[in-house]
Amino acid sequence: SKAAKKPVGCRPGSAFVRLAHLSMESPMKLRVLSALVLLGLSSSVSAGPFNDKLAICLVENTSQADKATLMRWIFGAMSRHPGVEDLSKVNQAHADQMNKAAADLFVALLTDRCATETQQAVKYEGAAVISSSFEVLGKVAMQGLMSDPAVQDYMGGLERNIEPGKLDSILKGAK
């Protein structure tokens, strides 16, 4: 009898197999995945049906604690930008902990919790699907962050500091 043929996404050297072997011993691969995830949070990729299934799987298989891990990792990454680094000091030991926790989460989601969906999405829609699927997860995690009452109160500070009537003329012209 013929040996069962492995799905395309599981061939040695395929994108799925490379992602499945991410570890702290391969920092370049982690940087590539990290960049894909961050790019996914700031750009739009047209989604296909397998991307949609992967995104749904990621969201459904991510706990509140997982979302907090993701938010903390994103915050840590953003805190390194020179324009905001004075607002938050994330020391290297803490950054290393957040990177490890996020890497463990990404690997668990892609290779365990959503392995089938990852394989199919990469096979039929390409490796960029990972970025766009994590964009959805990132948005869901950020909704949780932004809906917190303390965050909402802070965001309201913008409105409280806009002089009444200052925007009326421009907004009236847009109608």
Side-chain angles (χ1 to χ4, degrees), residues 41-94:
L41 294 175
S42 63
S43 66
S44 286
V45 176
S46 60
F50 293 96
N51 177 78
D52 292 345
K53 287 179 182 177
L54 177 56
I56 290 167
C57 183
L58 293 175
V59 171
E60 288 180 346
N61 287 282
T62 305
S63 67
Q64 287 303 108
D66 292 337
K67 290 174 187 151
T69 295
L70 182 58
M71 287 185 295
R72 293 172 63 82
W73 178 75
I74 293 167
F75 181 86
M78 292 187 321
S79 76
R80 297 300 173 111
H81 189 281
V84 296
E85 67 185 350
D86 64 312
L87 299 175
S88 176
K89 299 294 180 198
V90 177
N91 67 42
Q92 191 58 50
H94 201 180

Side-chain angles (χ1 to χ4, degrees), residues 118-159:
T118 301
Q119 284 179 303
Q120 290 178 342
V122 171
K123 177 180 177 180
Y124 294 112
E125 296 177 13
V129 75
I130 292 169
S131 174
S132 58
S133 295
F134 271 100
E135 177 181 2
V136 173
L137 178 58
K139 286 179 180 179
V140 169
M142 292 305 289
Q143 285 172 349
L145 175 76
M146 299 306 289
S147 66
D148 181 83
V151 174
Q152 287 290 311
D153 183 56
Y154 180 87
M155 298 293 286
L158 177 68
E159 184 179 344

